[in-house]
């Protein structure tokens, strides 16, 4: 009832400002509604599940949805880490099941990752992408090898910022990680998404590791596991009770922290983010144009990693990243060979 009331108020507001006619207003109220009665979805063409990032919960909802959906309906999951093949259980037609990961806030970003799999009907994927594009969304098609790649790109910076937080605390480390292509900083982003969601996603990204940078968030993952074990998973990085990770009982870093003053560390984190983006393109995990457009839209910036790299200079990036790589021997600092090209 509450969701429907809020929706009706929003539509009525659009009518008052002349954005919708009275007929359009009534049509939208009829077509878009909230309900806890699964029988109401039996005429839907596309059904998108958006429950918590928990495999059993999602499977349960998808199974119930499939019972009431018409045979031609497409069923999708808005997960940011669970793959469609993990959700394809008995009773759910895998040929009509896919992932649709909408970036928050949807009305601002307009970016959606379309996650496919081997059993998906190609015509279903094309139809869904057409529907999304007609409604103003920019689609990035991904397979099981590169699903959720845009989310993963922030994990290297997040991991390094996390290691710096032992010395500087979360707030300062987050400030050091802010950049023209990452204005929120990793911890502010994590806080917005929610620590339990980030923890589950990090575990799955760690296991899949398409960017070959497990080291970058091993400590981050361990911290969040300790947070959960201490029943403090609802705490936030920037406004919570922990000024630094080593305030948590049982915490100990397993690797040395990056060196340098604050300005040098700020530069290091920016160059690391750019290098990670170049590596994703180098390994054919995403097209450069799609990545540039996505990051500028999602982060609300004027430039993406490739425009930023051109501004800094490829030679400068290669030199500094090579220095960081020699200092740390961490693979995610190894300069992408695309800097040569």
């Amino acid at each position: 009832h509450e969701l429907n009331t809020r929706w009706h108020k929003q539509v009525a507001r659009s009518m008052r400002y002349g954005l919708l006619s009275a007929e359009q207003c009534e049509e939208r109220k009829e077509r878009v509604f909230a309900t806890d009665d699964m029988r109401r979805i039996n005429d839907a063409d596309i059904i998108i599940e958006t429950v918590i990032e928990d495999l059993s919960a999602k499977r349960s909802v998808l199974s119930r949805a499939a019972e009431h959906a018409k045979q031609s309906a497409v069923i999708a999951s808005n997960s940011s880490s669970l793959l469609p093949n993990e959700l394809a259980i008995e009773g759910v037609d895998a040929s009509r099941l896919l992932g649709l990961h909408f970036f928050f806030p949807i009305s601002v970003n307009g970016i959606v990752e379309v996650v496919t799999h081997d059993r998906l009907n190609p015509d279903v994927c094309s139809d869904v992408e057409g529907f999304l594009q007609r409604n103003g969304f920019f689609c990035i098609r991904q397979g099981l090898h590169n699903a959720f790649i845009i989310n993963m790109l922030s994990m290297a910076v997040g991991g390094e910022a996390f290691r710096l937080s032992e010395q500087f605390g979360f707030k300062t480390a987050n400030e050091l990680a802010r950049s023209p292509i990452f204005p929120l900083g990793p911890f502010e982003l994590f806080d917005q998404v929610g620590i339990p969601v980030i923890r589950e996603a990090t575990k799955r990204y760690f296991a899949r590791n398409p960017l070959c940078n497990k080291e970058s968030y091993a400590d981050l993952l361990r911290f969040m596991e300790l947070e959960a074990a201490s029943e403090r998973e609802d705490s936030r990085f920037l406004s919570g009770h922990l000024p630094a990770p080593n305030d948590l009982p049982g915490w100990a870093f397993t690797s040395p922290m990056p060196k340098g003053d604050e300005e040098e560390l700020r530069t290091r984190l920016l160059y690391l983010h750019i290098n990670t983006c170049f590596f994703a393109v180098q390994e054919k995990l995403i097209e450069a144009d799609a990545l540039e457009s996505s990051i500028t839209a999602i982060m609300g910036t004027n430039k993406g990693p490739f425009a930023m790299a051109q501004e800094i200079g490829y030679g400068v990036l290669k030199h500094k990243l090579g220095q960081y790589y020699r200092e740390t021997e961490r693979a995610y600092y190894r300069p992408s060979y695309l800097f040569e090209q």
Side-chain angles (χ1 to χ4, degrees):
H1 176 75
E2 181 182 352
L3 287 174
N4 282 320
T5 300
R6 288 167 57 189
W7 168 242
H8 291 173
K9 286 182 179 179
Q10 182 178 335
V11 173
R13 190 179 303 116
S14 297
M15 185 178 69
R16 283 200 305 272
Y17 286 107
L19 302 176
L20 294 175
S21 67
E23 292 77 13
Q24 289 173 321
C25 180
E26 289 305 314
E27 186 271 338
R28 289 202 180 187
K29 287 182 181 179
E30 178 66 26
R31 183 166 56 87
V32 181
F33 56 88
T35 180
D36 58 3
D37 183 356
M38 281 286 187
R39 292 173 296 182
R40 296 292 300 277
I41 68 171
N42 56 14
D43 287 328
D45 295 313
I46 299 177
I47 300 164
I48 305 173
E49 161 274 308
T50 61
V51 300
I52 60 173
E53 204 75 351
D54 177 87
L55 182 59
S56 61
K58 286 183 179 292
R59 282 178 170 176
S60 174
V61 170
L62 290 172
S63 178
R64 290 174 57 211
E67 290 178 14
H68 298 282
K70 60 185 180 183
Q71 191 171 7
S72 61
V74 174
I75 297 181
S77 173
N78 187 40
S79 174
S80 59
S81 65
L82 284 162
L83 299 169
N85 60 326
E86 297 177 87
L87 300 169
I89 58 176
E90 186 178 354
V92 179
D93 183 357
S95 70
R96 308 189 69 79
L97 171 70
L98 75 167
L100 292 179
H101 175 220
F102 294 84
F103 283 87
F104 180 85
I106 296 171
S107 58
V108 175
N109 289 323
I111 305 291
V112 58
E113 294 176 309
V114 180
V115 185
T116 67
H117 56 99
D118 293 341
R119 297 166 64 188
L120 178 65
N121 184 328
D123 292 337
V124 168
C125 187
S126 298
D127 289 345
V128 170
E129 286 178 331
F131 164 77
L132 292 167
Q133 289 161 0
R134 288 193 299 274
N135 283 276
F137 287 96
F138 179 72
C139 301
I140 303 171
R141 187 183 295 196
Q142 300 169 340
L144 300 181
H145 69 294
N146 66 343
F148 317 117
I149 193 65
I150 296 174
N151 274 16
M152 294 185 194
L153 291 171
S154 66
M155 299 309 292
V157 176
E160 286 295 79
F162 186 77
R163 293 167 65 213
L164 291 174
S165 66
E166 183 178 43
Q167 177 181 348
F168 297 105
F170 289 122
K171 290 188 177 183
T172 300
N174 191 72
E175 288 298 320
L176 294 177
R178 290 179 186 270
S179 72
I181 58 173
F182 201 179
L184 286 177
F187 301 145
E188 187 173 345
L189 178 64
F190 295 167
D191 280 352
Q192 286 191 11
V193 174
I195 304 305
V197 174
I198 289 292
R199 187 180 75 248
E200 291 305 308
T202 301
K203 286 193 290 189
R204 296 188 179 98
Y205 299 161
F206 184 87
R208 290 174 53 209
N209 198 31
L211 289 168
C212 304
N213 63 358
K214 275 190 175 185
E215 292 174 312
S216 68
Y217 49 91
D219 285 329
L220 177 61
L221 179 60
R222 181 166 172 269
F223 166 77
M224 288 190 288
E225 292 293 349
L226 286 173
E227 269 280 84
S230 65
E231 298 182 350
R232 295 195 290 194
E233 63 180 307
D234 60 336
S235 68
R236 298 166 68 88
F237 282 107
L238 299 185
S239 61
H241 56 280
L242 295 174
N246 56 353
D247 289 325
L248 189 71
W251 173 259
F253 270 101
T254 58
S255 54
M257 291 182 293
K259 300 176 182 178
D261 59 23
E262 290 191 13
E263 194 54 42
E264 171 66 18
L265 293 170
R266 191 184 305 275
T267 298
R268 176 194 288 260
L269 293 174
L270 170 61
Y271 289 7
L272 171 58
H273 196 184
I274 292 173
N275 195 48
T276 306
C277 293
F278 271 72
F279 182 80
V281 174
Q282 170 188 309
E283 297 302 303
K284 299 182 173 21
L285 297 172
I286 189 171
E287 295 292 330
D289 289 345
L291 180 53
E292 185 85 350
S293 299
S294 300
I295 288 183
T296 54
I298 293 166
M299 295 297 176
T301 63
N302 295 323
K303 62 187 75 174
F306 301 98
M308 195 74 197
Q310 190 171 22
E311 185 177 293
I312 295 168
Y314 303 125
V316 173
L317 286 163
K318 180 185 174 186
H319 171 73
K320 290 296 290 184
L321 286 163
Q323 174 188 324
Y324 300 147
Y325 177 60
R326 289 189 295 273
E327 287 175 2
T328 65
E329 296 184 349
R330 287 178 171 254
Y332 47 81
Y333 280 122
R334 189 197 306 271
S336 166
Y337 66 64
L338 294 182
F339 293 128
E340 297 282 1
Q341 301 175 13

